Amino acid sequence: MSVSPWGASPRRGLRVGLALVLAFDATIAANALSHAEVGEDSIRAVPWLLALGGRPLVVWALAAVAYLAAFMFARARRPIASGLVALAVLGALVGALTALQAMVPRNFYVTGTAVTGWLVGELVEWARRRRGEPVASPGALPEAGAAGALAAMYLSAAVSKLTLTGAEWLSPVTLESLVLTQHSLSDQSLLASYMRLVATTPSLATALAGAALVMQLFAPVWLIGPRLRAAWGTLFLAFHLNVFLLTGIPYLEPFALVLLFSYPWPKLAARLRRQAPGGEVEAPERGPALALVAIPLALALLGLAARTAVPEPLRFVSGSLNAPAARSSRPAEAPLARFGPLAVGEPLADGWRLDALELRGEEVRFWIARQDQRLYIAVVPSVERARGVFARDGADAFHEQTKLPLEQFDAAGKRLMARLAEAAGSRPLSDALRAWVAAR
């Protein structure tokens, strides 16, 4: 069992924090479901889940049940029953959202994992009381269950990376592609400067990817003791903050839960009040102070060394890459001679020409070529925030992974998108693209 930074202090704060995160997720899911509709890609295996879409009265009634159950859970009123009800309602809301959108909203899984672990601990504690066995610190076992479940979640993420992509995860391509799909290179903000540094420095991208992998792989270290809990928890928080800065993915639930479970909040609050915390007096832990310094340093060194440690035949191509996030899996239709204002053979910039046109659903691939160099730029209509290096309002635009640095074809990509925008005129570019697809 893990050694808790909360010691013998009451776990009311942990219970309330879990309930708040659960209520937050129920709110987000209910709001999304209120506006969701059945689409072509919706999963129809469970019809009653689809029926929740676009029915705000039903959805918010379910959310109200989740709120009430979370409130009872926070107050420790029949905590096992109320926790199970809250978890079941959240599961129904998330399941309906998954079925309607045909996408897995994994951020909700973190809350479900932590609450499940807590409830397992509650059951063990209840069973011990039933057998007349002593329970040293009420709430310690539920906390251990939730913390163990969260650590297992991070470990699972590392294992899935290794089994699905292997050493490829350490390729700078992985992070560079994610970064470039979320930012525009024309942005001159401080955040954009950091993004450009990561996207144009393969060794840094590899170091960050390697550090994330090692941190997740050794997540059980988070359970060893209070000081290691705080140190490893700080690494988790730094990881999530960096992901948010680089990709815009917030991951609010794991951030909040790691923040809640990693630090001795009762002791910190007591120090602020200049009084001793509740519960029995504990001897100060003499944790491995050297390890607290060595672990973050070792992570950084492992990440920086990852690129040189990989044998030459297995090394990855560097450069600014931009894999399309919305890449279509549909087969290409017959090649086109023209799309909108652009015809095959048309010159673009810096010696590049339009070499071929390919249509995959609503995605148009513009193949550009110059001498023996060739790659495509995929353009997709978008009514949300446009993504990609060449994106414009109304269109996502991603370029193929390539050995070529971005600056060699940057002008050609910008010229291509400018021609599309000029031809769209006063129409939204997304509408113009869809009209040209329909008129092919």
Side-chain angles (χ1 to χ4, degrees), residues 95-433:
L97 195 59
T98 301
L100 285 160
Q101 297 181 343
M103 294 175 60
V104 180
R106 291 186 176 86
N107 55 305
F108 296 118
Y109 289 8
V110 180
T111 306
T113 298
V115 173
T116 300
W118 183 282
L119 292 177
V120 170
E122 289 272 15
L123 283 168
V124 174
E125 196 170 271
W126 173 81
R128 284 191 173 186
R129 286 199 183 96
R130 290 270 296 181
R131 293 195 299 267
E133 297 177 7
V135 177
S137 181
L141 284 172
E143 179 201 359
L150 287 171
M153 177 196 70
Y154 282 105
L155 178 60
S156 303
V159 171
S160 68
K161 290 180 180 69
L162 291 174
T163 54
L164 294 175
T165 63
E168 187 180 345
W169 175 256
L170 297 178
S171 166
V173 172
T174 304
L175 188 55
E176 289 171 349
S177 299
L178 283 172
V179 169
L180 288 173
T181 58
Q182 301 296 331
H183 297 275
S184 169
L185 292 180
S186 61
D187 189 353
Q188 297 302 312
S189 66
L190 183 62
L191 176 58
S193 299
Y194 174 51
M195 175 274 297
R196 280 192 294 272
L197 177 65
V198 173
T200 58
T201 311
S203 58
L204 177 59
T206 299
L208 291 173
L213 182 63
V214 173
M215 177 203 67
Q216 292 178 332
L217 193 61
F218 290 93
V221 170
W222 190 59
L223 304 174
I224 291 177
R227 296 193 181 186
L228 281 176
R229 175 79 66 86
W232 217 261
T234 302
L235 291 178
F236 286 148
L237 295 177
F239 162 71
H240 288 301
L241 180 60
N242 195 47
V243 169
F244 174 68
L245 292 176
L246 291 175
T247 69
I249 302 172
Y251 286 123
L252 294 175
E253 293 88 347
F255 192 93
L257 292 173
V258 167
L259 188 66
L260 183 65
F261 280 85
S262 292
Y263 303 102
W265 295 114
K267 290 182 181 180
L268 294 174
R271 286 179 184 176
L272 289 175
R273 295 194 304 265
R274 296 188 177 182
Q275 65 185 48
E280 40 185 82
V281 178
E282 297 179 86
E285 181 205 9
R286 299 189 177 277
L290 180 61
L292 299 182
V293 178
I295 287 169
L297 181 61
L299 284 174
L301 291 176
L302 280 170
L304 288 171
R307 185 172 175 80
T308 55
V310 177
E312 185 67 32
L314 298 179
R315 290 191 187 175
F316 305 98
V317 175
S318 63
S320 297
L321 307 176
N322 191 212
R327 181 176 294 168
S328 173
S329 60
R330 301 179 185 178
E333 298 179 11
L336 305 176
R338 169 177 289 276
F339 182 83
L342 295 166
V344 172
E346 182 167 336
L348 295 171
D350 293 343
W352 290 91
R353 71 182 188 282
L354 185 58
D355 188 57
L357 286 162
E358 197 174 80
L359 190 61
R360 294 170 178 257
E362 283 195 331
E363 177 188 301
V364 188
R365 292 188 178 183
F366 296 88
W367 288 90
I368 63 174
R370 181 179 67 179
Q371 298 177 359
D372 60 343
Q373 299 169 334
R374 193 171 187 263
L375 72 150
Y376 69 77
I377 296 173
V379 179
V380 185
S382 174
V383 294
E384 301 177 352
R385 182 173 67 90
R387 299 178 301 158
V389 178
F390 303 119
R392 285 180 170 250
D393 288 344
D396 295 338
F398 308 96
H399 66 75
E400 180 188 15
Q401 294 188 359
T402 173
K403 297 179 182 180
L404 295 175
L406 177 63
E407 54 266 23
Q408 289 199 21
F409 58 91
D410 183 55
K414 289 178 178 176
R415 178 56 184 160
L416 185 151
M417 295 303 294
R419 291 278 286 114
L420 293 174
E422 290 166 5
S426 60
R427 286 185 297 175
L429 184 53
S430 58
D431 291 349
L433 289 171

Side-chain angles (χ1 to χ4, degrees), residues 19-34 52 55-72 82 85-94 96 108:
L20 287 173
V21 174
L22 194 150
F24 171 80
D25 274 0
T27 303
I28 298 299
N31 183 61
L33 272 177
S34 297
L52 293 177
R55 294 176 182 245
L57 290 178
V58 177
V59 167
W60 286 108
L62 284 172
V65 174
Y67 298 152
L68 178 60
F71 176 77
M72 293 180 64
S82 58
V85 169
L87 193 61
V89 174
L90 179 62
L93 294 173
V94 173
F108 296 118

